[in-house]
Amino acid sequence: MVSTDEPIRVPQGLAGRRWLFPSALVYELDPDARTSGRRPRRTARDWVVDFSCFLLAVVVGLAAAHSLPDEPGLSRPLAVLDQMLGGLACAAVWLRRRCPVGLAVALLPVGLLSITSGGAAMVALFTLAVHRPFRYVAWLGGVYLALVPLLYWLRPYPHLSYAAVVVFTALLTVSIIGWGMFVRSQRMLMLSLRDRAHRAETEARLRAEQAQRLAREAIAREMHDVLAHRLTLLSVHAGALEFRPDAPREEIVRAAGVIRESAHEALQDLREIIGVLRANESDDAEGGRPQPTLAAVDALVAESREAGMKVTLLDHRVADPTAVPASVGRTAYRIAQEGLTNARKHAPGTEVTVRLTGASGDGLTLTVTNPAPPSEVPPVPGSGQGLIGLTERAILTGGRLEHGTTADGGFEVRAWLPWGES
């Protein structure tokens, strides 16, 4: 709400229309200017308003000066002093943006000596109400109103009665202060709307960043859960071909067929993942293959056996796997898939046991256990990431997942998933 010779950068929303706005408002809307502490120049609108205020103060002062000869008991030196003070007060109006409080305070004693400074005093009160908080307006406005009866008692107005001129001046003062406070409230409303829009943009950006992060996590989780199983099968059979180049032709053909089929399945799974992600991770992506459910666990075990693993499916006591909710069944399938993949990587050649029990209302319990490997197995890079993702999956469905070594040195993955009564 002040003026200096330093220009500021105009916000993008005001570009091309800067002259339409007060410099004080432009200053508040420009965060760079507020950070640097620089104060804006007057805009074209400011010059028009300031000149109008100066002209108004001069017109009111001339009107008051015209009534000075009719004022009883006023000597010529006092009349000259009155007009000189009034002229100085009108000139001081040009400082109203720089120091509104100081101008209003300075014109308080001047108003008692100079009737012609009344217009400048009204402009100072209006400026104070526009540019400063209410506490300043309340104190100085109250002092002005309190001095009105004293002023016209000392300097009676020749053309109106004492009561009429006091009431008129008091109402005019209150109206000018109210007008200034209204202008200030409109500006504060504009600034609050700007801040609200800025917060909304910030929140939208944060939501977009969070959505991108969740999408990346979903991609990583799905890639690991789906492709790790297929690629492990490829690695096992490719390793068999590498270390047994003299194997019978039937075994080589069979291994090559498994490799081809696993590669084809991996590509299909990759297309499925992309389709699901494009469909905002909906349960059934249009045009894609169905998502795995609990009923597909048997096929998963059979596929692992065909790849040469020793897998035993015990306690498969789920009477109707199709009755399990899709999200719960899909999570159970991914847990079983990850458990078999980990056993194949970290304990090759061991017999893996899968237990699956549950009923509606009791929940679904899935356990994948493998004994310790017969010999030391080299560490696999990136181990443990799949279990972290599966733990998050289980928690999101309202269940839990635990994993760790067993008493005989093996490894066990145990999950419980909710299955509410239908």
Side-chain angles (χ1 to χ4, degrees):
M1 298 36 174
V2 286
S3 174
T4 186
D5 293 333
E6 283 289 338
I8 63 171
R9 180 180 63 82
V10 181
Q12 184 177 1
L14 304 181
R17 298 181 296 167
R18 183 181 188 274
W19 65 276
L20 288 174
F21 293 87
S23 59
L25 189 59
V26 175
Y27 174 77
E28 291 293 336
L29 292 175
D30 188 356
D32 293 342
R34 286 185 284 124
T35 302
S36 63
R38 294 180 301 171
R39 296 172 179 176
R41 288 180 177 179
R42 286 186 177 94
T43 63
R45 178 190 179 278
D46 289 340
W47 283 105
V48 172
V49 172
D50 289 349
F51 182 77
S52 299
C53 290
F54 171 74
L55 188 61
L56 177 63
V58 170
V59 170
V60 173
L62 291 175
H66 182 69
S67 65
L68 287 179
D70 300 331
E71 186 176 334
L74 183 65
S75 63
R76 181 173 178 81
L78 289 179
V80 173
L81 177 63
D82 188 308
Q83 296 178 58
M84 290 178 60
L85 292 176
L88 292 175
C90 292
V93 166
W94 289 101
L95 302 175
R96 68 188 190 93
R97 295 181 186 273
R98 181 179 294 275
C99 46
V101 177
L103 180 62
V105 171
L107 291 181
L108 272 173
V110 173
L112 293 175
L113 300 175
S114 174
I115 294 294
T116 55
S117 66
M122 294 296 103
V123 172
L125 277 179
F126 174 78
T127 306
L128 183 71
V130 171
H131 296 288
R132 290 296 180 264
F134 178 73
R135 61 179 182 273
Y136 295 97
V137 182
W139 280 102
L140 290 176
V143 173
Y144 267 84
L145 290 174
L147 292 178
V148 167
L150 178 61
L151 172 64
Y152 288 106
W153 182 75
L154 296 174
R155 304 282 301 273
Y157 191 69
H159 304 296
L160 286 176
S161 65
Y162 174 76
V165 72
V166 168
V167 171
F168 174 79
T169 306
L171 291 177
L172 181 62
T173 302
V174 172
S175 300
I176 290 174
I177 292 175
W179 182 23
M181 293 178 63
F182 172 76
V183 173
R184 177 178 175 81
S185 68
Q186 293 298 106
R187 293 186 181 182
M188 297 301 293
L189 175 62
M190 181 179 294
L191 293 176
S192 67
L193 292 177
R194 186 279 313 267
D195 293 338
R196 185 180 303 176
H198 179 69
R199 286 195 300 270
E201 292 175 357
T202 303
E203 292 173 0
R205 185 174 65 254
L206 292 177
R207 285 195 298 270
E209 293 175 356
Q210 183 181 18
Q212 292 175 352
R213 179 177 57 81
L214 293 176
R216 294 190 189 102
E217 292 177 357
I219 292 173
R221 185 168 56 245
E222 290 293 334
M223 288 292 186
H224 184 280
D225 293 346
V226 175
L227 297 182
H229 179 71
R230 305 294 182 189
L231 296 179
T232 303
L233 292 178
L234 287 172
S235 177
V236 168
H237 286 279
L241 291 178
E242 179 182 4
F243 289 105
R244 294 192 59 191
D246 57 344
R249 186 175 183 278
E250 293 76 10
E251 291 186 12
I252 294 177
V253 171
R254 177 176 173 274
V258 173
I259 292 175
R260 180 185 59 80
E261 183 64 24
S262 297
H264 178 73
E265 292 290 334
L267 289 175
Q268 292 292 336
D269 288 336
L270 181 60
R271 295 191 186 100
E272 175 186 340
I273 293 170
I274 295 174
V276 171
L277 292 176
R278 286 177 176 174
N280 296 324
E281 298 186 13
S282 58
D283 289 340
D284 295 313
E286 294 182 3
R289 296 186 306 158
Q291 291 286 311
T293 60
L294 188 65
V297 172
D298 291 333
L300 177 66
V301 172
E303 182 183 22
S304 299
R305 288 170 178 167
E306 291 179 1
M309 287 188 67
K310 301 175 182 179
V311 184
T312 303
L313 182 60
L314 299 177
D315 296 334
H316 192 341
R317 296 200 301 260
V318 180
D320 187 8
T322 59
V324 178
S327 60
V328 175
R330 182 166 59 253
T331 302
Y333 177 90
R334 296 303 187 198
I335 293 173
Q337 187 182 54
E338 179 66 18
L340 293 174
T341 301
N342 287 341
R344 189 181 299 113
K345 290 190 296 185
H346 302 290
T350 61
E351 183 176 0
V352 185
T353 303
V354 179
R355 293 181 175 86
L356 182 63
T357 60
S360 177
D362 296 332
L364 193 67
T365 301
L366 173 66
T367 305
V368 181
T369 309
N370 63 268
S375 59
E376 185 178 355
V377 179
V380 180
S383 299
Q385 298 299 318
L387 293 176
I388 295 175
L390 291 179
T391 302
E392 295 177 356
R393 277 178 176 266
I395 293 175
L396 288 175
T397 59
R400 59 182 179 273
L401 184 141
E402 301 171 352
H403 55 83
T405 56
T406 59
D408 59 355
F411 195 83
E412 181 180 80
V413 177
R414 181 181 181 84
W416 179 86
L417 302 174
W419 181 6
E421 296 182 359
S422 57

